[in-house]
Amino acid sequence: MKERRIYTLLGLLLLVAVGYLNWSSSGGGGVRVPIPWLQPKMGFVGRNGTRFVDLEDGSLVYVNGWNSYWLMSSDSGDRVVEMLRRGRAMGMSVCRTWAFSDGGPNALQIYPGHFDERIFQALDFVIYQARKHYVRLILCLVNNLGAFGGKPQYVRWAQASGINVSTSTDPFFSHPTIKGYYKDYVKAIISRKNTYSGIRYRDEPAIFAWELINEPRCEYNSSSPFLQAWIAEMASYVKSLDEKHLVTVGLEGFYGPARNDRLGANPGSWAASLGSDFIQNSEIENIDFASVHAYPDSWIPKASLEEKVQYLSSWVDSHVNDSEHVLKKPVLFSEVGSHLRVKKNGTYDRDMLLKIVYDKVYESAKKGQAAAGALIWQLMVEGMQTYQDEFSLVASEHPSTYKLIVQQSCRLRNLHMKKDNTGREVVRSCLEPPS
């Protein structure tokens, strides 16, 4: 009789588990029963000097990844699943995406401290599905620009509450009330319990890192001390809430005016006047790794392809060297974007520029140095034209770029021959490294 009860209980648990997996895999309706212990096994990522390591087994982690900022905002769970499936099929292991939408239509944060639960559950779904596909996420917490609210929205909220702040967005980095808004938001995100998995974000290994802000800039260079202090304060605050995850800034990588010996690496004199400084901002104790962006088409638009190639090569070398010898931290090239122009011989300018970054990351990784990976900007699936920009692509529609991505995934994976913890092949076919 006792054994029958045990088998009955086990049968009921199995039915619940099967029903849960069937429901949650489709993002459909019905009663949600989050079961943390049913989630795929995955370790947190930490760092050891200039390298990322899997804290579960101690293996080195190299990143070939992509940006899809739109995942939370997609009105289709199927498109989210398909994007994660395709990314993983190309061997990519990290996706960078927005974990913010402040004010405006379909906002996650409607106004300070108040959230749309429907949008929060969309973010839950993204994180849950990422883990199912063995993809880790870099989650960005606010935008510098006004897209999806960003700094301007925080300043408008302060003005609407009667606080006397200037029309500049620089008070975002210095005003106590606005900093309080941001901290409250960060706390709500990090302490959130996922309605699909039952796991709090701070305990979720599918989150690779928190990114404080996308591409921080100041309107006035005189505000740079406030940006520096803001990074230190917010990085420390994130760590006080969550000791398990890495933290990065979200920098473009420009050198400030005090770096006379490095200003030549900037794309123009304008880049030193934006209040940020790659070394100073990245060397803060609670910043675990450096981040750099690369947009030669936008930054030096009048340059020839050969000049862009030369510039990009120098840009990557400078940041890898500084990360290795000055910062002594890993560096991720977390946005690498280029236009989709086709040359007369059928090759893409984009492929030539992307290959420069990929090759330099690979060579650095082979030597055990600081370049830990790169993330292409940005990948889409069909039907997402609303979120498309001049650098977006559906990878399968561009075979040469697709092949380049897969090759990079394969050769980084082969550096350490770490078996995929699912026991399945990560990449459909690992091709020869690009020549």
Side-chain angles (χ1 to χ4, degrees):
M1 186 70 176
K2 185 176 181 180
E3 288 183 355
R4 184 181 298 173
R5 287 177 180 172
I6 292 173
Y7 287 130
T8 300
L9 179 60
L10 289 173
L12 287 172
L13 287 173
L14 181 60
L15 284 172
V16 169
V18 170
Y20 166 69
L21 291 172
N22 287 338
W23 178 89
S24 58
S25 64
S26 65
V31 178
R32 197 173 302 172
V33 188
I35 306 177
W37 51 265
L38 282 177
Q39 309 313 308
K41 186 178 179 182
M42 182 180 279
F44 287 90
V45 174
R47 78 171 176 98
N48 182 6
T50 60
R51 302 184 186 185
F52 292 130
V53 293
D54 188 320
L55 298 179
E56 186 78 16
D57 58 18
S59 61
L60 297 179
V61 175
Y62 300 106
V63 175
N64 192 32
W66 82 100
N67 287 268
S68 288
Y69 79 83
W70 48 269
L71 294 180
M72 181 182 71
S73 301
S74 173
D75 59 1
S76 168
D78 290 341
R79 290 195 180 106
V80 171
V81 171
E82 182 62 12
M83 185 68 261
L84 292 167
R85 185 195 69 78
R86 291 185 191 182
R88 193 56 178 163
M90 288 185 278
M92 293 189 285
S93 57
V94 174
C95 175
R96 178 171 172 266
T97 193
W98 293 172
F100 64 82
S101 181
D102 303 307
N106 295 315
L108 171 57
Q109 186 174 208
I110 304 167
Y111 55 94
H114 295 264
F115 304 91
D116 185 329
E117 178 62 20
R118 178 180 61 88
I119 306 300
F120 231 145
Q121 290 188 22
L123 182 57
D124 291 345
F125 183 74
V126 170
I127 296 169
Y128 169 75
Q129 285 295 334
R131 185 162 178 178
K132 284 188 67 176
H133 288 82
Y134 296 91
V135 170
R136 293 184 174 98
L137 301 171
I138 296 175
L139 295 179
C140 184
L141 296 168
V142 73
N143 203 5
N144 183 77
L145 297 176
F148 294 87
K151 277 193 323 184
Q153 181 62 70
Y154 276 81
V155 172
R156 287 195 296 271
W157 279 331
Q159 291 168 338
S161 70
I163 295 172
N164 184 21
V165 292
S166 70
T167 55
S168 162
T169 59
D170 286 358
F172 176 88
F173 297 122
S174 59
H175 197 283
T177 298
I178 300 175
K179 291 194 292 182
Y181 292 162
Y182 178 84
K183 284 183 175 180
D184 289 346
Y185 180 74
V186 168
K187 185 175 182 179
I189 291 286
I190 290 176
S191 62
R192 167 80 174 181
K193 179 183 282 189
N194 193 309
T195 56
Y196 287 85
S197 67
I199 299 172
R200 294 195 185 278
Y201 288 13
R202 63 173 175 249
D203 299 319
E204 176 54 75
I207 296 173
F208 183 94
W210 302 111
E211 184 178 276
L212 298 180
I213 180 171
N214 176 52
E215 300 186 336
R217 295 182 177 187
C218 301
E219 291 190 35
Y220 302 99
N221 207 26
S222 58
S223 296
S224 59
F226 297 117
L227 171 59
Q228 178 72 2
W230 183 90
I231 294 170
E233 180 179 350
M234 298 312 168
S236 176
Y237 183 69
V238 170
K239 289 290 189 180
S240 74
L241 299 173
D242 176 4
E243 296 180 344
K244 296 179 180 179
H245 288 105
L246 300 168
V247 176
T248 193
V249 182
L251 296 169
E252 293 162 282
F254 302 134
Y255 293 99
R259 308 286 170 186
N260 290 324
D261 57 335
R262 291 175 173 82
L263 293 180
N266 280 348
S269 59
W270 54 268
S273 65
L274 302 173
S276 64
D277 179 79
F278 173 71
I279 293 177
Q280 185 181 37
N281 299 155
S282 302
E283 66 186 357
I284 290 169
E285 180 183 1
N286 288 308
I287 296 301
D288 295 298
F289 65 93
S291 56
V292 181
H293 295 179
Y295 286 97
D297 288 337
S298 296
W299 292 349
I300 47 174
K302 296 180 180 180
S304 66
L305 176 60
E306 290 72 21
E307 290 169 332
K308 290 175 183 176
V309 165
Q310 185 177 4
Y311 158 74
L312 182 59
S313 181
S314 174
W315 178 253
V316 175
D317 285 344
S318 180
H319 289 84
V320 172
N321 289 336
D322 283 336
S323 297
E324 177 71 23
H325 300 294
V326 181
L327 299 175
K328 304 185 188 308
K329 299 178 181 183
V331 59
L332 273 186
F333 293 86
S334 51
E335 288 188 25
V336 181
S338 182
H339 293 150
L340 304 181
R341 285 193 293 266
V342 183
K343 291 177 67 65
K344 290 181 180 179
N345 63 2
T347 62
Y348 288 91
D349 290 2
R350 178 192 60 245
D351 292 345
M352 296 181 67
L353 296 170
L354 182 61
K355 187 176 184 298
I356 288 170
V357 179
Y358 278 175
D359 285 350
K360 288 185 177 293
V361 165
Y362 177 67
E363 290 302 320
S364 174
K366 263 204 316 186
K367 298 172 186 175
Q369 295 177 345
L375 291 81
I376 188 172
W377 180 281
Q378 71 157 333
L379 296 187
M380 314 288 289
V381 293
E382 296 82 359
M384 294 303 299
Q385 291 84 354
T386 303
Y387 300 100
Q388 191 167 343
D389 61 22
E390 57 189 326
F391 306 106
S392 303
L393 69 148
V394 176
S396 60
E397 296 176 357
H398 300 269
S400 61
T401 307
Y402 183 98
K403 180 180 179 181
L404 197 61
I405 292 170
V406 172
Q407 288 173 332
Q408 180 73 352
S409 296
C410 290
R411 61 181 183 170
L412 286 178
R413 180 171 176 255
N414 290 338
L415 276 178
H416 51 94
M417 298 300 291
K418 177 180 179 294
K419 291 183 179 179
D420 177 44
N421 56 12
T422 65
R424 292 179 280 109
E425 187 68 27
V426 181
V427 191
R428 292 196 191 109
S429 60
C430 273
L431 308 175
E432 291 298 320
S435 58

Short mmCIF file of all heavy atoms in Angstrom, two decimals, residues 123 180 244-245 258 270 424:
data_model
loop_
_atom_site.label_atom_id
_atom_site.label_comp_id
_atom_site.label_asym_id
_atom_site.label_seq_id
_atom_site.Cartn_x
_atom_site.Cartn_y
_atom_site.Cartn_z
N LEU A 123 10.04 39.30 -20.28
CA LEU A 123 11.45 39.18 -19.94
C LEU A 123 11.72 37.84 -19.25
O LEU A 123 12.74 37.19 -19.52
CB LEU A 123 11.89 40.35 -19.06
CG LEU A 123 13.36 40.39 -18.65
CD1 LEU A 123 14.29 40.40 -19.87
CD2 LEU A 123 13.64 41.61 -17.76
N GLY A 180 18.27 57.39 -7.36
CA GLY A 180 17.37 56.53 -6.59
C GLY A 180 16.39 55.78 -7.47
O GLY A 180 16.10 54.60 -7.23
N LYS A 244 26.76 36.92 -7.54
CA LYS A 244 27.00 35.77 -8.40
C LYS A 244 27.30 36.15 -9.85
O LYS A 244 27.88 35.35 -10.59
CB LYS A 244 25.77 34.85 -8.38
CG LYS A 244 25.50 34.22 -7.02
CD LYS A 244 24.27 33.33 -7.06
CE LYS A 244 24.01 32.71 -5.70
NZ LYS A 244 22.79 31.86 -5.70
N HIS A 245 26.88 37.34 -10.26
CA HIS A 245 27.00 37.70 -11.66
C HIS A 245 28.08 38.75 -11.92
O HIS A 245 28.39 39.57 -11.05
CB HIS A 245 25.66 38.24 -12.19
CG HIS A 245 24.62 37.19 -12.36
ND1 HIS A 245 23.56 37.03 -11.49
CD2 HIS A 245 24.49 36.21 -13.30
CE1 HIS A 245 22.81 36.01 -11.89
NE2 HIS A 245 23.36 35.50 -12.98
N ALA A 258 42.45 63.06 -21.33
CA ALA A 258 43.69 62.92 -20.56
C ALA A 258 44.61 61.84 -21.12
O ALA A 258 45.77 61.75 -20.71
CB ALA A 258 43.35 62.61 -19.10
N TRP A 270 36.13 64.20 -31.77
CA TRP A 270 34.84 64.28 -31.07
C TRP A 270 34.70 63.20 -29.99
O TRP A 270 34.00 63.39 -28.99
CB TRP A 270 33.69 64.15 -32.07
CG TRP A 270 33.78 62.92 -32.93
CD1 TRP A 270 34.37 62.80 -34.16
CD2 TRP A 270 33.24 61.61 -32.63
NE1 TRP A 270 34.25 61.51 -34.64
CE2 TRP A 270 33.55 60.77 -33.73
CE3 TRP A 270 32.52 61.08 -31.56
CZ2 TRP A 270 33.18 59.41 -33.77
CZ3 TRP A 270 32.14 59.74 -31.59
CH2 TRP A 270 32.47 58.92 -32.68
N ARG A 424 25.09 17.12 -26.50
CA ARG A 424 24.77 17.20 -27.92
C ARG A 424 25.77 18.10 -28.62
O ARG A 424 26.43 18.92 -28.00
CB ARG A 424 23.36 17.77 -28.12
CG ARG A 424 22.26 16.86 -27.64
CD ARG A 424 20.89 17.49 -27.84
NE ARG A 424 20.59 18.45 -26.78
CZ ARG A 424 20.56 19.75 -26.96
NH1 ARG A 424 20.82 20.28 -28.13
NH2 ARG A 424 20.27 20.56 -25.97
#
